[in-house]
Amino acid sequence: MRHKVSVIGAGNVGATCAQYILENKLADVVLVDKVEGLPQGKALDMMAAGPSRGFDADIKGSNDYADTADSDIVVITAGLARQPGMSREDLLAKNVAIVKSVTEDVSKRSPKSIIIVVTNPLDVMSYLAWKISGFKSNKVIGMAGVLDSARFRCFLAKELKVSAGDIQAMVLGGHGDSMVPLARFCTVAGVPVTELLSKEKLDKIIERTKNAGAEVVAHLKTGSAYYSPAASVVEMVECILKDKKRLLPASAYLNGEYGLKDLYIGVPVILGASGVEKVLELPLTAEEKKLLGDSASVVSSNIKSLNL
Ligand code: A3D
């Protein structure tokens, strides 16, 4: 039987997710947006790319959540994106209302689904979707770490002039200025990157990774990144649908791991058919623990402001 993935929000990230899911032949897709005609038009256009791009999965555009019923995965991208000068936190107030209503609409129609949240501020929205859905916490996951580590890998690959595919990297913490890229756990085909680059060069790359989203926003001026965020979402979708049990960084619910409780934040997880199958606790240095703790405080205070 074919899998079904619903993507909510037919904007830049949502439509690109739909395109990658189809091109990777992972599932039939339902693309939903509140704007009439937008998901229908994009879906029709994408469907007509099938014969040339070699996919035959179905895509339907809709404004009606009934079409999302019995999805295996729901990806939530609905919401406002950043403009130049805005932080992800600036989006909080407006996106709370959107993510709340979308989660209510999808969770009752696909009670067995796994929800992947993309809307910013990511960790807070993931917590909100978990609370509103009433799902077990392993079934609601935020996408950020895969993207942050992909950015880290690309910048390292450029500096080292090696394939990004040979680089493994781990990024912890909230998706924002307080993220914690872990150079210590970063390798090029097994060789620690700390053996290959000076601390100065590594620090520069870490800084660029933290600001990579803002760098794109500054160029685009009217929105934020979408090719790489969508690619990261689809990496997670594939991992779940194929039960790959990969070790990836994602925003997951913590209940004591890393000494943190009752929040969503970026940590290494094993991702498989049932969602987050395990949160991995890495041995952190005192400095890394402090950075993760600082990042968690920012996320926790935003979660508290929701008064859930
Ligand atoms: P954009 O291209 O504006 O698309 C958002 C879409 O959501 C629009 O088509 C809206 O019409 C739609 N929408 C708004 N409200 C609703 C609603 N109630 N129901 C259904 N659809 C609705 O933005 P985008 O696709 O570039 O970004 C979407 C979100 O993802 C933003 O919040 C971004 O900040 C976030 N984002 C997160 C990351 C991460 O790495 C976590 C990366 C990129 C974007």
Side-chain angles (χ1 to χ4, degrees):
M1 211 180 76
R2 290 186 185 206
H3 292 297
K4 175 173 177 179
V5 177
S6 291
V7 180
I8 317 302
N12 284 333
V13 177
T16 314
C17 278
Q19 181 192 354
Y20 290 161
I21 292 169
L22 295 175
E23 293 199 336
N24 291 346
K25 306 178 181 71
L26 294 174
D28 291 335
V29 176
V30 175
L31 185 61
V32 176
D33 202 284
K34 64 170 188 175
V35 178
E36 233 170 86
L38 181 73
Q40 291 86 348
K42 289 194 178 181
L44 190 59
D45 193 15
M46 261 183 244
M47 189 179 75
S52 306
R53 302 294 298 157
F55 63 80
D56 54 13
D58 196 26
I59 170 143
K60 177 171 188 171
S62 176
N63 307 112
D64 183 353
Y65 282 90
D67 288 315
T68 67
D70 302 320
S71 297
D72 297 293
I73 297 179
V74 178
V75 180
I76 300 180
T77 77
L80 303 186
R82 281 196 291 170
Q83 308 276 333
M86 285 175 88
S87 76
R88 293 175 178 91
E89 276 69 29
D90 290 335
L91 302 170
L92 186 63
K94 292 207 168 103
N95 284 349
V96 164
I98 295 173
V99 169
K100 199 162 176 258
S101 79
V102 167
T103 306
E104 280 163 0
D105 278 322
V106 294
S107 56
K108 63 183 175 212
R109 292 175 174 91
S110 297
K112 293 188 179 149
S113 64
I114 289 174
I115 298 178
I116 299 178
V117 180
V118 188
T119 307
N120 271 318
L122 190 272
D123 305 280
V124 187
M125 292 302 133
S126 304
Y127 185 94
L128 177 66
W130 165 63
K131 272 277 175 184
I132 299 296
S133 65
F135 286 10
K136 285 188 173 163
S137 60
N138 63 310
K139 302 274 186 195
V140 181
I141 314 158
M143 185 294 294
V146 174
L147 171 62
D148 294 329
S149 66
R151 287 170 167 161
F152 195 20
R153 289 166 65 193
C154 286
F155 298 146
L156 285 166
K158 270 199 159 292
E159 179 64 36
L160 291 164
K161 299 188 176 50
V162 299
S163 161
D166 275 345
I167 300 183
Q168 301 279 324
M170 188 50 72
V171 175
L172 298 187
H175 180 58
D177 303 339
S178 62
M179 75 175 80
V180 188
L182 290 178
R184 218 158 51 84
F185 293 105
C186 185
T187 65
V188 184
V191 180
V193 77
T194 44
E195 300 288 323
L196 303 173
L197 284 175
S198 65
K199 179 166 180 337
E200 247 172 27
K201 283 209 165 130
L202 260 174
D203 285 348
K204 259 195 182 161
I205 292 172
I206 287 173
E207 237 4 75
R208 189 168 183 205
T209 302
K210 287 186 182 177
N211 296 317
E215 200 178 327
V216 175
V217 172
H219 284 300
L220 292 180
K221 295 184 182 70
T222 53
S224 56
Y226 53 101
Y227 293 113
S228 54
S232 303
V233 169
V234 175
E235 203 175 329
M236 293 171 71
V237 166
E238 179 169 23
C239 198
I240 294 166
L241 293 180
K242 295 187 176 170
D243 193 20
K244 290 181 108 176
K245 303 193 190 301
R246 290 184 57 199
L247 171 56
L248 296 171
S251 185
Y253 184 75
L254 296 191
N255 188 22
E257 298 90 344
Y258 292 96
L260 301 171
K261 246 184 187 289
D262 198 33
L263 83 168
Y264 268 74
I265 197 160
V267 285
V269 302
I270 309 279
L271 200 59
S274 55
V276 170
E277 302 194 346
K278 191 179 169 144
V279 171
L280 238 82
E281 280 197 77
L282 301 175
L284 299 182
T285 63
E287 194 197 341
E288 288 161 352
K289 260 190 206 150
K290 179 173 180 323
L291 289 172
L292 183 61
D294 291 349
S295 185
S297 308
V298 176
V299 175
S300 283
S301 76
N302 280 330
I303 287 176
K304 276 208 186 88
S305 75
L306 300 179
N307 289 321
L308 287 169

